[in-house]
């Protein structure tokens, strides 16, 4: 910035905080990533940072239209389209800001009331402690390394990489204490290689199932993968004899046979051995090491499944909204199907890892987090087991639930589903007792026949409706499951039981929604001032060019006057649309940018105290405007004409005054 031209350099005292647009944020690393999130950055309101990307959707068709043009022509065409896009946004600012303001007011009121209800369930001392923690983190400059992050949730599990690191460090400590290494390949690396071979076996099995009638190319690819797997198995089995010395005797006792294909060869990891013979076959601590790796594998795989299902849902919504035609539809379905296969593959990996944990440690508390992915059409015994689990949770949390006397707000004041995320722990757990858990049925194909119903069809084309045997029955809803309640799923992780992280996030949602209302008011005010400035600029431009040609001078004056009136017309229209928001609160043109806690800076010196409560009546500011939109539009032309006539009179008076002064 030191080499920037004068007037473009940023003052040295200016604080710059990096942030990532909301849509792109999920593609970045998650470690301590809250400092880059627009959700927790003071002063930005509900800004998503993606406005620069929205124009491409409206200009994708220009790719084919301009690819055969020359550079100059292509540049002119693109410039014209982008100019029209900018002008369309310019004249639509009135309705755009008006709609944003109405939505922001509603969201602010809901968030504020939900946060107040959440705060009422927490002790005053805790609220003060958490508030001080949040303010300290908000005030600290980037990179926010000193203060405790109130929005970060420590996970209850470790990743596979962390598990490998811990096992490696344990082996290093044992070697330092004098223990002799059994092989150049450590025990943890032996198990990691075994899990990788298991993954490769699973991949080949999946590939052979999909290729029931493979072509020559597909058959050659499968054979090549089998050959590579066979070589890896031979090298791994040599290390296995070191860490599982009793395996040969065990194989002889069970009369094991050699499989024809390498993907069918059993690996004989500790989890696959009988518990009574595991200690005699394996070296000490080998089974415990596999259990740690399997647990980390389960948690990582669950994260992968959630990510793939979310990605698939976004792709399906995009396809339904934007893809038309047989060719594009087929290609999009093929991409969605590939994502679906990855999710099914991950579900298979999770089931295998969970079965290994069950074989190694038996039933325990870990089953509450790592639950079974029940397949579609599972026996009724599983449903009965799930029913018992729900009833047990209800019994456990009923005491806390009954003591909470504000639960009625769920049915009255807060019908929005995201209020569930702001509930205290006792209410979330009781609500989750009614929620249907994720099953393998959730990892279903794009067009699952069991989920697709018959459409209504055009009148006269479905004559079989009169036959009850041919009609489509609507699925019934079990009231006990309460599946008609729309509650957002929450990503569970380890918490200290206080709900500090959820409270901090609820507080941040309130702050951002309050800021959004203030920012929109300020943007409306500045839009009016900007239009007046543009009108004055066009007035000056009409006479700013010296020329002796009277015809040219008259044309320049007429052109400038036309644009001046256009700016004044937009100003009058915007004032009519925004008269309620702008009349409600006069935004101060100056503000002290001090060290007051909770104060955010909006633009050039306009301060908005985000801690101040907005007027309660603001929710009804624009009440009835939806019904009067047509009347507003009808009156806009009359108001514009009146303004133009008044402007003409003012111009005539100004011209007469100028002649008299001359």
């Amino acid at each position: 910035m030191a080499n920037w031209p004068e007037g473009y350099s940023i003052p040295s005292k200016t604080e710059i905080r990096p942030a990532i647009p909301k849509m792109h944020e999920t593609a970045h690393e998650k470690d301590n990533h809250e400092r880059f999130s627009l959700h927790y950055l003071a002063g930005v309101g509900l800004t998503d940072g993606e406005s620069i990307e929205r124009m491409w959707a409206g200009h994708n068709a220009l790719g084919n239209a301009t690819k055969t043009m020359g550079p100059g022509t292509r540049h002119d065409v693109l410039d014209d389209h982008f100019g029209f896009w900018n002008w369309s946004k310019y004249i639509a600012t009135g309705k755009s800001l008006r709609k944003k303001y109405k939505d922001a007011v509603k969201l602010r009121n809901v968030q504020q009331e939900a946060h107040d209800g959440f705060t009422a369930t927490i002790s005053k001392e805790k609220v003060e402690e958490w508030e001080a923690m949040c303010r300290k983190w908000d005030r600290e400059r980037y990179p926010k390394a000193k203060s405790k992050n109130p929005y970060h949730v420590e996970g209850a599990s470790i990743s596979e990489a962390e598990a490998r690191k811990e096992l490696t460090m344990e082996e290093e400590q044992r070697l330092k204490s004098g223990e002799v290494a059994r092989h150049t390949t450590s025990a943890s690396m032996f198990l990691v290689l075994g899990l990788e071979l298991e993954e490769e076996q699973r991949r080949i099995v999946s590939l052979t199932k999909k290729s029931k009638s493979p072509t020559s190319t597909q058959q050659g690819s499968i054979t090549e993968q089998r050959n590579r797997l066979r070589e890896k198995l031979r090298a791994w089995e040599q290390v296995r004899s070191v860490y599982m010395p009793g395996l040969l005797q065990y194989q002889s006792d069970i009369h094991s046979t050699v499989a024809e294909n390498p993907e069918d060869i059993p690996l004989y990891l500790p989890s696959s051995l009988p518990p009574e013979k595991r200690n005699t076959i394996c070296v000490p601590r080998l089974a415990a090491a596999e259990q740690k790796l399997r647990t980390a594998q389960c948690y990582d795989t669950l994260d992968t499944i959630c990510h793939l299902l979310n990605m698939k849902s976004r792709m399906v919504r995009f396809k339904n909204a934007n893809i038309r035609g047989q060719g594009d539809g087929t290609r999009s379905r093929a991409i969605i199907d590939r994502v679906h296969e990855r999710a099914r593959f991950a579900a298979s990996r999770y089931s295998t890892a969970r079965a290994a944990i069950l074989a190694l440690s038996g039933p325990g508390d870990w089953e509450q987090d790592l639950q079974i992915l029940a397949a579609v059409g599972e026996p009724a015994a599983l449903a009965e087991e799930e029913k018992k689990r729900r009833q047990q949770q209800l019994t456990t949390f009923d005491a806390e639930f009954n003591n909470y006397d504000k639960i009625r707000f769920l049915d009255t004041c807060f019908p929005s589903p995201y209020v569930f995320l702001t509930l205290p722990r006792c209410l979330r757990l009781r609500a989750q007792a009614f929620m249907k858990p994720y099953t393998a049925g959730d990892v279903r194909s794009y067009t699952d026949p069991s989920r697709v119903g018959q459409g209504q069809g055009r009148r006269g084309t479905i004559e079989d409706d009169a036959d009850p045997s041919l009609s489509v029955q609507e699925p019934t809803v079990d009231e006990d499951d309460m599946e008609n309640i729309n509650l957002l799923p929450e990503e569970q992780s380890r918490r200290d039981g206080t709900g500090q992280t959820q409270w901090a996030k609820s507080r941040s949602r309130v702050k951002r929604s309050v800021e959004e209302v203030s920012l929109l008011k300020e943007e409306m005010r500045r839009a009016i001032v900007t239009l007046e400035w543009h009108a004055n600029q066009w007035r000056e431009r009409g006479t700013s060019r010296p020329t002796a040609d009277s015809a040219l001078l008259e044309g320049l004056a007429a052109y400038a006057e036309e644009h001046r009136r256009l700016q004044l017309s937009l100003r009058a229209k915007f004032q009519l649309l925004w008269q309620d928001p702008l009349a409600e609160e006069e935004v101060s043109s100056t503000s002290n940018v001090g060290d007051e806690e909770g104060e955010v800076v909006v633009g050039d010196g306009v301060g908005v105290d985000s801690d101040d409560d907005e007027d309660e009546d603001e929710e009804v500011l624009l009440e009835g405007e939806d019904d009067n939109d047509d009347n507003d539009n009808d009156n806009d032309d009359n108001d514009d004409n009146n303004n133009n006539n008044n402007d003409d009179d003012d111009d005539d008076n100004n011209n007469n005054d100028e002649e008299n002064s001359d």
Side-chain angles (χ1 to χ4, degrees):
M1 293 186 295
N3 299 326
W4 286 10
E6 184 178 357
Y8 290 91
S9 60
I10 301 176
S12 58
K13 295 183 179 180
T14 303
E15 180 184 358
I16 300 177
R17 294 186 179 182
I20 300 175
K22 292 182 179 179
M23 190 188 74
H24 294 81
E25 185 180 359
T26 55
H28 293 258
E29 297 180 358
K30 296 182 179 180
D31 186 23
N32 197 19
H33 213 259
E34 291 79 10
R35 55 183 175 171
F36 302 111
S37 176
L38 289 171
H39 295 288
Y40 312 124
L41 188 61
V44 300
L46 300 180
T47 302
D48 57 15
E50 300 290 352
S51 297
I52 193 65
E53 303 286 349
R54 293 191 175 98
M55 64 175 297
W56 301 118
H59 295 87
N60 285 336
L62 293 178
N64 287 331
T66 61
K67 64 182 181 181
T68 58
M69 297 180 182
T73 305
R74 187 171 188 269
H75 184 277
D76 292 340
V77 171
L78 293 177
D79 189 62
D80 290 341
H81 280 82
F82 293 153
F84 176 75
W85 177 274
N86 293 334
W87 176 249
S88 299
K89 288 180 62 178
Y90 187 78
I91 62 177
T93 302
K95 292 184 178 180
S96 175
L97 291 184
R98 178 173 175 266
K99 182 179 183 301
K100 289 181 180 179
Y101 180 80
K102 293 174 64 177
D103 296 340
V105 168
K106 294 178 182 178
L107 179 62
R108 183 207 59 189
N109 293 339
V110 172
Q111 292 286 6
Q112 183 67 63
E113 212 163 351
H115 182 68
D116 293 342
F118 188 12
T119 305
T121 64
I122 306 172
S123 63
K124 184 178 180 181
E125 293 76 13
K126 282 291 184 183
V127 172
E128 293 176 354
E129 177 186 350
W130 296 346
E131 179 69 26
M133 183 191 306
C134 293
R135 289 187 175 184
K136 183 179 179 181
W137 191 84
D138 291 339
R139 288 196 304 265
E140 185 180 354
R141 299 173 68 93
Y142 179 82
K144 297 181 179 292
K146 298 180 181 179
S147 303
K148 181 181 178 181
N149 188 347
Y151 308 106
H152 180 66
V153 180
E154 293 291 342
S157 61
I158 60 175
S159 63
E160 291 186 71
E162 292 173 342
R164 296 178 188 179
K165 180 181 178 181
E166 288 185 6
L167 292 174
T168 303
M169 294 178 65
E170 292 175 3
E171 292 173 353
E172 183 181 3
Q173 293 296 330
R174 289 195 296 268
L175 292 176
K176 288 181 179 180
S177 63
E179 184 175 332
V180 180
R182 299 176 182 271
H183 195 272
T184 54
T185 302
S186 63
S188 61
M189 183 54 62
F190 160 73
L191 292 173
V192 169
L193 293 175
L195 296 181
E196 292 177 355
L197 291 174
E198 182 184 74
E199 184 83 358
E200 195 163 347
Q201 285 181 326
R202 191 182 299 110
R203 185 178 295 106
I204 295 178
V205 169
S206 176
L207 186 61
T208 54
K209 286 183 178 180
K210 289 191 298 183
S211 305
K212 296 182 179 180
S213 299
T215 62
S216 299
T217 303
Q218 292 175 339
Q219 186 63 44
S221 175
I222 294 175
T223 303
E224 184 178 355
Q225 294 184 43
R226 283 174 173 171
N227 293 337
R228 288 198 301 265
L229 177 59
R230 188 176 284 108
E231 292 297 326
K232 293 180 181 179
L233 283 172
R234 290 173 182 172
W236 184 76
E237 288 172 353
Q238 296 178 2
V239 184
R240 185 179 63 182
S241 61
V242 176
Y243 293 103
M244 305 178 70
L247 183 60
L248 291 178
Q249 182 62 40
Y250 174 72
Q251 290 176 328
S252 177
D253 294 341
I254 64 174
H255 305 288
S256 64
T257 58
V258 179
E260 179 181 358
N261 296 322
E263 66 269 20
D264 300 327
I265 297 176
L267 298 178
Y268 292 108
L269 290 169
S271 57
S272 63
L273 301 176
E276 64 274 6
K277 296 185 178 181
R278 189 175 296 145
N279 294 332
T280 59
I281 296 175
C282 305
V283 298
R285 296 182 296 271
L286 189 65
E290 185 190 358
Q291 182 179 351
K292 180 174 288 188
L293 288 172
R294 290 289 192 179
T295 303
Q297 186 182 33
C298 279
Y299 282 108
D300 280 359
T301 306
L302 283 178
D303 290 341
T304 301
I305 293 174
C306 292
H307 172 71
L308 290 173
L309 292 180
N310 288 333
M311 180 170 62
K312 175 184 167 185
S313 299
R314 291 195 298 268
M315 295 172 67
V316 170
R317 288 196 297 267
F318 179 83
K319 176 188 179 300
N320 294 337
N322 301 284
I323 303 300
R324 297 293 182 270
Q326 183 176 0
D328 294 340
T330 302
R331 283 191 293 269
S332 63
R333 281 195 299 270
I335 297 174
I336 295 173
D337 289 341
R338 286 200 294 269
V339 176
H340 165 71
E341 288 300 323
R342 290 172 57 190
R344 292 187 60 183
F345 188 79
S348 176
R349 185 197 310 137
Y350 170 81
S351 300
T352 303
R354 189 188 183 281
I357 298 174
L358 184 62
L360 290 169
S361 61
D365 295 337
W366 62 271
E367 291 182 293
Q368 297 180 2
D369 293 332
L370 303 177
Q371 300 183 10
I372 300 176
L373 285 181
V376 180
E378 197 75 17
L382 184 63
E384 187 65 26
E385 180 182 351
E386 177 61 27
K387 187 176 181 180
K388 292 180 180 179
R389 181 189 69 83
R390 297 185 187 182
Q391 187 61 39
Q392 183 179 3
Q393 287 188 350
L394 291 178
T395 305
T396 305
F397 301 110
D398 263 344
E400 296 180 69
F401 179 77
N402 292 331
N403 291 334
Y404 184 72
D405 55 358
K406 293 189 177 183
I407 187 61
R408 299 180 183 276
F409 75 81
L410 275 176
D411 299 325
T412 56
C413 301
F414 307 126
S416 182
Y418 56 74
V419 175
F420 171 72
L421 301 179
T422 66
L423 291 176
R425 180 175 179 269
C426 63
L427 300 185
R428 289 202 312 271
L429 291 174
R430 193 180 195 288
Q432 287 170 350
F434 289 106
M435 294 175 65
K436 184 178 179 182
Y438 282 135
T439 66
D442 295 319
V443 188
R444 61 183 183 271
S445 61
Y446 175 63
T447 54
D448 191 344
S450 64
R451 305 296 181 109
V452 178
Q454 182 179 359
Q456 182 178 359
R458 292 180 296 174
R459 184 179 299 275
T461 60
I462 302 180
E463 287 80 8
D464 296 329
D465 288 342
D467 188 354
S469 62
L470 299 178
S471 61
V472 179
Q473 300 295 329
E474 293 293 332
T476 59
V477 179
D478 188 1
E479 294 182 358
D480 294 336
D481 291 339
M482 300 181 67
E483 293 181 356
N484 57 330
I485 296 181
N486 184 16
L487 298 179
L488 291 180
E490 179 185 10
E491 182 179 353
Q492 299 295 324
S493 55
R494 183 175 61 197
R495 292 184 176 86
D496 56 3
T498 60
Q500 175 261 313
T501 303
Q502 293 300 322
W503 185 89
K505 292 181 179 180
S506 175
R507 172 186 177 275
S508 178
R509 287 193 291 268
V510 174
K511 295 292 183 182
R512 302 294 85 79
S513 58
V514 171
E515 292 169 2
E516 180 70 9
V517 175
S518 301
L519 287 171
L520 288 171
K521 289 180 182 178
E522 176 63 13
E523 193 168 356
M524 292 176 184
R525 187 191 68 82
R526 295 194 179 195
I528 298 298
V529 174
T530 301
L531 290 171
E532 293 176 354
W533 181 85
H534 280 301
N536 294 331
Q537 288 292 310
W538 280 111
R539 182 193 296 273
E540 296 176 0
R541 290 172 186 171
T543 58
S544 61
R545 181 176 176 180
T547 178
D549 191 346
S550 58
L552 178 59
L553 184 61
E554 183 180 357
L556 293 174
Y559 182 81
E561 181 64 19
E562 179 185 6
H563 282 270
R564 187 186 73 85
R565 293 186 179 185
L566 178 60
Q567 301 298 325
L568 294 175
S569 175
L570 290 175
R571 183 196 63 176
K573 183 176 182 180
F574 292 173
Q575 284 179 329
L576 181 63
L577 290 173
W578 303 338
Q579 57 184 356
D580 288 337
L582 292 179
E584 180 212 353
E585 178 180 344
E586 182 180 359
V587 182
S588 176
S589 59
T590 60
S591 177
N592 296 327
V593 187
D595 295 330
E596 294 293 331
E597 294 180 355
E599 187 178 22
V600 297
V601 177
V602 183
D604 299 330
V606 180
V608 180
D609 190 355
S610 61
D611 285 338
D612 291 342
D613 294 332
E614 300 291 337
D615 294 339
E616 296 179 356
D617 296 333
E618 191 165 12
E619 186 179 13
V620 296
L621 280 178
L622 302 175
E623 184 178 359
E625 286 188 357
D626 291 334
D627 299 332
N628 297 329
D629 280 345
D630 296 335
N631 296 332
D632 291 346
N633 295 332
D634 294 336
N635 295 330
D636 283 346
D637 295 334
N638 297 331
D639 293 336
D640 295 342
N641 294 332
N642 294 334
N643 290 329
N644 293 336
N645 294 333
N646 295 334
D647 293 337
D648 293 339
D649 297 338
D650 294 341
D651 295 338
D652 294 336
N653 295 332
N654 293 334
N655 293 333
N656 294 332
D657 293 340
E658 292 175 0
E659 292 176 358
N660 294 332
S661 62
D662 292 337

